[in-house]
Amino acid sequence: MRMNLLSAAALVGLTMAAGSAFAADQAQASGVTRAHVRAELQAARELSLSPVTEFNFPYTYEQSIQLQKLTARIEAQNQPVAPQAPVAN
């Protein structure tokens, strides 16, 4: 009985460790930032594509192109402007 309990606990521990390692790997590989997700949600709202339901998803090709362009424009607007060094004459 004790051996079965220890085996079960070890199996659960290994499964959780593998799951967390996999989740961390997936988060790093996606490359999507919170700012990008916010911009995409804002663009979807502006194009009346949000909320996504079974009736308006997947988007048509034209809608997805519009969404990508508007998302890129919103991201560009939200980028902080880097301070420029003063120019000596």
Side-chain angles (χ1 to χ4, degrees):
M1 175 83 169
R2 183 178 246 180
M3 190 60 142
N4 287 341
L5 183 60
L6 289 175
S7 296
L11 182 62
V12 169
L14 288 173
T15 304
M16 290 178 64
S20 65
F22 179 74
D25 184 46
Q26 288 294 330
Q28 292 174 355
S30 67
V32 178
T33 63
R34 289 181 183 195
H36 176 77
V37 172
R38 281 190 210 109
E40 190 170 355
L41 287 172
Q42 181 181 351
R45 283 189 211 110
E46 290 180 17
L47 294 172
S48 300
L49 299 175
S50 181
V52 175
T53 65
E54 64 271 10
F55 302 113
N56 67 349
F57 187 83
Y59 306 130
T60 64
Y61 179 74
E62 291 80 15
Q63 288 173 325
S64 65
I65 296 297
Q66 286 179 327
L67 182 63
Q68 288 175 359
K69 287 180 180 180
L70 187 55
T71 300
R73 190 175 326 140
I74 291 170
E75 278 187 295
Q77 290 173 352
N78 292 339
Q79 289 293 327
V81 177
Q84 296 183 357
V87 177
N89 288 337

